[in-house]
Amino acid sequence: MAEPVVRVPDAKVALSTASVYPESTATAFEIAARLGYDGVEVMVWNEPVSQDLEALRRLSDFHQIPILAVHAPCLLITQRVWSTDPWVKLQRARAAAEKLGASTVVVHPPFRWQRQYARDFVAGIWRMANETDVRFAVENMYPWRYRDREMLAYAPDWDVTKDDYRHFTIDLSHTATARTDALHMIDRMGDRLGHVHLADGGGSNKDEHLVPGRGTQPCAELLERLALSGFDGHVVIEVNTRRAMSSAEREADLAEALAFTRLHLASSVKVPRR
């Protein structure tokens, strides 16, 4: 006979500082600590505090909430953050992760118009990964669409599983926008899946970043697979709360996302009775 037990993987559940926008990075640390998140992922963007390592260290110490990952400034709106040279951005992201005790740097594939960067990207990420214990986890993206037109904005490809990287980040809002199968994607990533951005989406042309469970993505199934596989990376809640009518509503959304994640990350398994 066997009895069902609950197995919870070593994965930590973190809050992306982007999830509280338009509130501040400091607010993200406060909310993460109050709700019981295991840590934060710092989105480095135009807000000065997100770029200031000493300020981030003070926030981490004050709230007793660790920084588990650093998201490099790869967005269109952060083209001038930490230099206009994309390799300098990644070097600074790695240095920030090392100094702040974060285990992962999240990076997007280049835009197609960053031609030299795109040509060297796969080899360059391997070279940087070989120089540190920090994981460079390259994130899946999506085609850009306008009406009936589709534009391939990322190179070598928005589907990062088509290239050889040591570690991947899967983002379920991005799989929704790309209209690709998230579970098949993690199968292709295999044991190189090192980081998860948990959000939801309905398959629209917009990158929605809904609270998990409010869209069509297999968020619960993916978390259950992670539990069964003993996933030891981080699961980061990266949702859009801009439409929240109040701080209390935003916090309720982030509490719901955390509860959903913890529930489905605990997988019921059967083990032999001793």
Side-chain angles (χ1 to χ4, degrees):
M1 294 290 294
E3 293 180 345
V5 298
V6 171
R7 173 183 294 165
V8 181
D10 292 333
K12 291 184 168 136
V13 183
L15 178 65
S16 168
T17 58
S19 295
V20 306
Y21 183 83
E23 296 198 55
S24 67
T25 297
T27 299
F29 278 85
E30 179 185 344
I31 291 174
R34 185 161 57 244
L35 294 181
Y37 279 83
D38 297 318
V40 299
E41 174 178 302
V42 174
M43 171 69 81
V44 180
W45 53 7
N46 296 321
E47 186 196 10
V49 170
S50 74
Q51 306 170 31
D52 185 332
L53 303 194
E54 287 308 312
L56 292 170
R57 193 194 311 276
R58 287 194 296 271
L59 285 169
S60 177
D61 290 345
F62 179 80
H63 292 288
Q64 291 297 289
I65 193 87
I67 298 169
L68 301 178
V70 173
H71 195 309
C74 306
L75 306 175
L76 283 173
I77 63 171
T78 58
Q79 291 185 79
R80 296 186 177 278
V81 173
W82 281 358
S83 170
T84 56
D85 183 331
W87 291 114
V88 172
K89 292 175 185 284
L90 295 191
Q91 289 163 2
R92 292 190 64 172
R94 180 190 67 191
E98 290 171 342
K99 290 178 182 177
L100 295 170
S103 64
T104 303
V105 168
V106 179
V107 57
H108 293 180
F111 294 110
R112 295 193 74 86
W113 54 85
Q114 296 175 299
R115 294 181 181 177
Q116 186 61 49
Y117 179 46
R119 277 195 294 269
D120 298 340
F121 185 69
V122 177
I125 289 292
W126 270 102
R127 183 171 58 251
M128 293 189 72
N130 286 332
E131 295 170 350
T132 180
D133 291 331
V134 172
R135 293 178 172 181
F136 280 88
V138 185
E139 184 173 1
N140 63 298
M141 299 305 291
Y142 47 85
W144 289 3
R145 297 188 184 93
Y146 179 71
R147 295 181 179 174
D148 296 329
R149 296 184 179 182
E150 185 173 286
M151 172 182 161
L152 300 179
Y154 298 97
D157 204 285
W158 62 263
D159 182 351
V160 292
T161 64
K162 293 182 178 179
D163 291 288
D164 180 28
Y165 301 109
R166 180 175 292 172
H167 291 107
F168 294 110
T169 296
I170 190 165
D171 184 305
L172 273 77
S173 178
H174 295 175
T175 58
T177 306
R179 300 168 192 165
T180 192
D181 189 312
L183 298 180
H184 287 172
M185 180 167 276
I186 65 167
D187 286 342
R188 295 195 299 276
M189 290 178 173
D191 60 8
R192 292 182 292 168
L193 174 61
H195 200 69
V196 175
H197 279 169
L198 193 68
D200 216 329
S204 79
N205 290 345
K206 295 182 179 179
D207 184 17
E208 297 172 286
H209 284 274
L210 304 177
V211 170
R214 298 185 186 177
T216 61
Q217 292 303 286
C219 298
E221 294 90 338
L222 183 139
L223 290 169
E224 288 160 8
R225 282 202 190 184
L226 296 183
L228 289 171
S229 68
F231 178 72
D232 65 352
H234 305 317
V235 178
V236 177
I237 303 300
E238 190 185 71
V239 296
N240 185 345
T241 63
R242 296 177 196 178
R243 293 187 178 180
M245 300 300 292
S246 65
S247 296
E249 184 178 333
R250 173 174 292 108
E251 192 162 328
D253 284 345
L254 298 177
E256 178 185 330
L258 178 60
F260 179 100
T261 304
R262 292 212 190 281
L263 173 65
H264 293 288
L265 203 53
S267 176
S268 178
V269 297
K270 290 187 177 180
V271 296
R273 180 185 288 172
R274 295 189 178 186

